[in-house]
Amino acid sequence: MKIMVCIKQVPDDSVKIELDESTGKPSVEGVEPIVNAFDTYALEMAARFLETGIEGEITTITMGDENSKSSIKNCLAVGASHGYVLHDDLFEGSDAQGTAYALGCAVRKIARDEGGDFDIVFCGIETSDETSGQTGPMLAESLGYSLVTNVIALEKKDGVLHVKQETEDGYNIVETPMPCVLTAARPNYDPRYPTIKSKMAARKMPIGELSAADIGARSDKTGESASLVKTIELAAPPKRKAGIKINEEDIEEASLKAFSIMTDANVL
Amino acid sequence: MTDRNVFVYIETADGESVKVGPEMLAPAREAAGGGKVTAVIIDAQSDQAAEKALIYGADAVITAACEAAPPENTVGILTAMAEKYGPDIIMIGSTPAGRETAPRLAARIGAGCVTDVNALDITDEGIVWTTPLFGGTILENVGISTDVQVVTIRSGAFKCGEAGDPSGEIIPEEIIMQDGDVKTKIIDSVVEISEQVNLEDAEIIVTGGKGMGTEEDFQKIQELADVLGATVGATRPVIEAGWTSRAHQVGQSGKIVSPKLYIAFGVSGATQHITGMIGSDYIVAVNKDEDAPIFDVADIGIVGDAKKVLPIFIEECRKLKGI
Ligand SMILES: Cc1cc2nc3c(=O)[nH]c(=O)nc-3n(C[C@H](O)[C@H](O)[C@H](O)COP(=O)(O)OP(=O)(O)OC[C@H]3O[C@@H](n4cnc5c(N)ncnc54)[C@H](O)[C@@H]3O)c2cc1C
Ligand SMILES: Nc1ncnc2c1ncn2[C@@H]1O[C@H](COP(=O)(O)O)[C@@H](O)[C@H]1O
């Protein structure tokens, strides 16, 4: 079983990112880069799946700049055996379609190099920065694979893949042929942490670097000029007017005060 | 003003349109200008949803009788409809199924795709779609450069238009599924959450966070909600602790809500939560940490122990409502 997990490096999602009015860009300066949360869930699910006694390996890939290597290193410390960074000026400014196209080319190329197709290509349902959720489904289209979204567990039963898909009121068990693309939702556990030993081991593992030429990506299919969705501008959401903060020793008095403001405002 | 033909795919559940379905007809009309708004419904029982679409402003409804419509079928059917009718815009609700359908459809027909649209602006250069970044702390205005534009619309972002007379034609379409269109199979469907929690339409929501401390204390949130006729909301850690079901979750991976009043007890105010409730008209927050980020968005903030404030609120509401 060969599993590819697509990860994206994003700014720490516990830090509130706002529009920097002076640059017109998100205030990501100095914010620690992390692996997108849903991608860590994908990796953890893949690792647990193989730990049920299924022979196989996990490869992880990201399309991003030079320093996204550190995120791949983190993945190598928690279950992945191979890591790749897809990096080229050509990819810059890609929309989801361009990203999915490039990832698709890379998946095929790595499969050829590593000797055999991937059975499962895992993505997160969405990233915390773009929050677009388009890349996984588009990747399935570009590879011609089947797709199951909102995955919270997987299991192999009588040789076929059974995927647990979270729904609004419960879950589905979906049978899917392989190769397939899956998108990970949040399972009801946290991903594992690396140990000192696994971190040391990851540090020594090679990370493959691939350019557009390496994967045979066409310039009319990826990057800014091929982007079908163009950013016009970023804007700050309308600010809420400053409220009243009641900070008093006597909690009963504070509560009653708040309550009377609420009744005056006619919101109850 | 450019006239555009707009397709609105209305997802159904048990023959009824999902909430965002009719809501999309308002922005669809705006985007259409003098063009035509056509609802598309894929369901063996489409009568109710079709009538509703006409009432809320569709010029016509295309119906495709198909038993279940998992996203795989939908993508195939919408691709065929798009090819036959050539719409300029295809709107789809931002439901879990819609978020799967839209990018696949866009990839198939070579269209640009924008998800989670919560506003639009018609300009001389084209339509500007607004979509959240970083869970909504930043808004991105984008344009789509392809002839056909595919967008998903966030539930609750647009209000349903005025109800009118259901005039307009219903066009039944034959569906011819291509071999290989459907690769996956749902072999079991399990309902774990039987309670109906309608956070999206709630006028008042009372939410408890992890700061409620224990399940027992969290249950008191329900007491206040009952007095106020409100719906109970929860943060993700509360659901993970098993204090209540996932149907109550507000936030990025829960429901996006816009009540008249939102009261939050022991909620820190992480962006993933704020993004789900920032659209509330009036926000009251109780937190013992005076620097909790929830206070940045609150109209009234009480610094103090939520467990002490809650019974006082219950008592005062009882008096107010005379119960
Ligand atoms: C990909 C992703 C998606 C997510 N989606 C969601 C989502 O949809 N919805 C969501 O809610 N979260 C979501 N989260 C989680 C989110 O990041 C926060 O962890 C969560 O919102 C915090 O919940 P909380 O405020 O209840 O708990 P905490 O952050 O633990 O905060 C508890 C608060 O209670 C206060 N407190 C403690 N005791 C008292 C007391 N006695 N009285 C008053 N105040 C007290 C504390 O000061 C603190 O501010 C998501 C996270 C990720 C990574
Ligand atoms: N640059 C990237 N490199 C690798 N994977 C990506 C990249 N961008 C998006 N993905 C994958 O696609 C998922 C959805 O991303 P998005 O469409 O941006 O919300 C992510 O969770 C990742 O699994």
Side-chain angles (χ1 to χ4, degrees), chain B residues 4-10 21-22 24-25 28-29 32 34-42 46-47 49-64 81 85 87 165-173:
Chain B
R4 299 178 182 86
N5 290 323
V6 183
F7 258 26
V8 179
Y9 166 59
I10 297 191
M24 286 187 281
L25 294 165
R29 171 59 62 209
K36 197 168 167 185
V37 175
T38 308
V40 181
I41 298 168
I42 305 171
S46 58
D47 299 359
E51 169 150 331
K52 195 161 187 183
L54 292 175
I55 287 175
Y56 286 102
D59 298 312
V61 183
I62 296 173
T63 59
M81 302 284 174
Y85 293 91
D165 280 335
S167 62
E169 61 175 333
I170 295 183
I171 311 160
E173 274 285 347

Side-chain angles (χ1 to χ4, degrees), chain A residues 189-202:
Chain A
Y189 48 75
D190 285 319
R192 72 196 61 187
Y193 286 103
T195 61
I196 292 173
K197 218 175 118 200
S198 72
K199 264 193 187 163
M200 296 279 282

Side-chain angles (χ1 to χ4, degrees), chain A residues 6-8 36 39 62-63 103 123-124 126-127 132-135:
Chain A
C6 302
I7 65 133
K8 186 178 178 194
N36 180 48
D39 307 349
T62 187
M63 180 174 122
L103 287 172
C123 288
E126 65 181 26
T127 47
S132 99
Q134 296 183 36
T135 309

Side-chain angles (χ1 to χ4, degrees), chain A residues 113-220:
Chain A
D113 288 358
E114 286 187 4
D117 275 335
F118 287 94
D119 303 288
I120 297 172
V121 178
F122 231 136
C123 288
I125 48 170
E126 65 181 26
T127 47
S128 61
D129 53 358
E130 290 287 335
T131 40
S132 99
Q134 296 183 36
T135 309
M138 284 180 171
L139 182 55
E141 288 294 319
S142 120
L143 288 166
Y145 292 0
S146 63
L147 169 74
V148 186
T149 54
N150 282 299
V151 172
I152 47 173
L154 36 158
E155 191 188 7
K156 218 171 155 189
K157 244 189 182 158
D158 310 322
V160 290
L161 191 62
H162 282 191
V163 177
K164 190 170 180 185
Q165 173 182 54
E166 188 175 75
T167 59
E168 298 218 51
D169 59 7
Y171 63 88
N172 293 330
I173 302 293
V174 184
E175 189 185 300
T176 176
M178 290 183 279
C180 61
V181 171
L182 307 177
T183 70
R186 161 124 184 141
N188 59 1
Y189 48 75
D190 285 319
R192 72 196 61 187
Y193 286 103
T195 61
I196 292 173
K197 218 175 118 200
S198 72
K199 264 193 187 163
M200 296 279 282
R203 215 171 290 163
K204 295 200 195 93
M205 288 157 82
I207 293 176
E209 286 179 61
L210 297 170
S211 67
D214 291 334
I215 60 168
R218 282 165 40 184
S219 61
D220 60 337

Side-chain angles (χ1 to χ4, degrees), chain B residues 19 49 54 64 84 118 128 155 323:
Chain B
K19 181 175 177 279
L54 292 175
K84 178 166 174 183
N118 56 22
V128 179
S155 183
I323 38 181

